[in-house]
Amino acid sequence: MKTHNAIRWIAGLGLALGLGGAAQAIEVGGLKFDDTVRVAGKELKVNGAGVRTRIVVKVYALVLYLPEKKDTPAGVLESSGPRRFSLGLLREVTGDDLGQAFMAGITANTDKAERSKYVNQLAQFGDAFVSIPQGKKGDVINVDWVPDTGTVMTLNGKPIGEPMKDINFYNAILKIWLGDKPVDSSLKPQLLGKG
């Protein structure tokens, strides 16, 4: 009987320490994110994470998940299989303001010819943000690339918008942070695991 209790105690300790295979948490900007996630049945790991700061205000925490580590923008953009980035709000912001900031980041890092290829997806993307009346501190937006489905967005686990089919559009979103004119130059190396 004592042996059985000891085994249960050790198993309980293993679970408490996170040794039981459960996802561990990482902290970014005071918010907790899983260090592994499943997208389209595949396990993704944290590639990098950081906080978007505007002047001195912390705006959001960002975590990039990939099937395997990539330390260059090209490596991330050429990564095959599913991907995810999780954006956790660190202050209140309207969906409209967030959408406008994303659109400005896409515009700064793509040319007109590139954007013309996914005009419909840009409109869908903007509509998804408009559907968020007020983002609250701690809200998490996941933006996944799901092969054969497209870009899929959720807010606190609830779907927003419709899937957007083009992988190049997902990459255009990633270029907000990983492009030649990143919205936050200190965040770029962090997402690439160099920060």
Side-chain angles (χ1 to χ4, degrees):
M1 189 69 164
K2 284 183 179 178
T3 303
H4 183 69
N5 286 340
I7 290 170
R8 278 199 341 217
W9 184 84
I10 290 168
L13 178 64
L15 287 173
L17 295 174
L19 303 175
Q24 300 286 309
I26 62 165
E27 190 171 309
V28 186
L31 299 180
K32 290 198 184 317
F33 296 87
D34 290 334
D35 68 350
T36 60
V37 296
R38 286 193 89 69
V39 175
K42 187 157 188 165
E43 183 175 89
L44 306 181
K45 297 180 174 104
V46 172
N47 195 73
V51 173
R52 161 74 169 116
T53 304
R54 190 168 180 195
I55 306 169
V56 295
V57 178
K58 292 179 179 179
V59 184
Y60 53 77
L62 192 68
V63 183
L64 176 62
Y65 297 93
L66 298 174
E68 55 190 44
K69 283 275 194 192
K70 302 290 181 183
D71 63 1
T72 65
V76 172
L77 300 177
E78 293 165 6
S79 179
S80 62
R83 298 182 244 164
R84 165 177 288 177
F85 67 84
S86 294
L87 185 148
L89 296 177
L90 300 177
R91 65 180 187 94
E92 285 198 5
V93 62
T94 66
D96 192 42
D97 286 346
L98 200 54
Q100 285 182 25
F102 271 51
M103 292 300 190
I106 290 171
T107 300
N109 288 283
T110 56
D111 61 36
K112 193 173 179 179
E114 192 178 348
R115 287 191 303 278
S116 71
K117 293 176 187 170
Y118 33 76
V119 169
N120 292 341
Q121 292 178 93
L122 281 166
Q124 281 180 267
F125 192 61
D127 288 347
F129 283 105
V130 170
S131 73
I132 306 169
Q134 183 71 36
K136 297 176 185 64
K137 185 176 180 180
D139 282 354
V140 176
I141 298 169
N142 288 326
V143 182
D144 296 344
W145 171 252
V146 180
D148 302 320
T149 300
T151 300
V152 178
M153 298 173 59
T154 60
L155 171 63
N156 299 327
K158 295 180 183 157
I160 52 173
E162 295 294 319
M164 294 159 272
K165 302 284 184 197
D166 190 342
I167 182 68
N168 294 313
F169 179 69
Y170 191 84
N171 284 339
I173 300 170
L174 289 177
K175 287 178 185 176
I176 294 170
W177 305 285
L178 300 177
D180 293 335
K181 298 174 185 168
V183 69
D184 186 329
S185 58
S186 66
L187 190 50
K188 182 174 178 176
Q190 293 175 351
L191 293 177
L192 297 171
K194 299 174 180 176

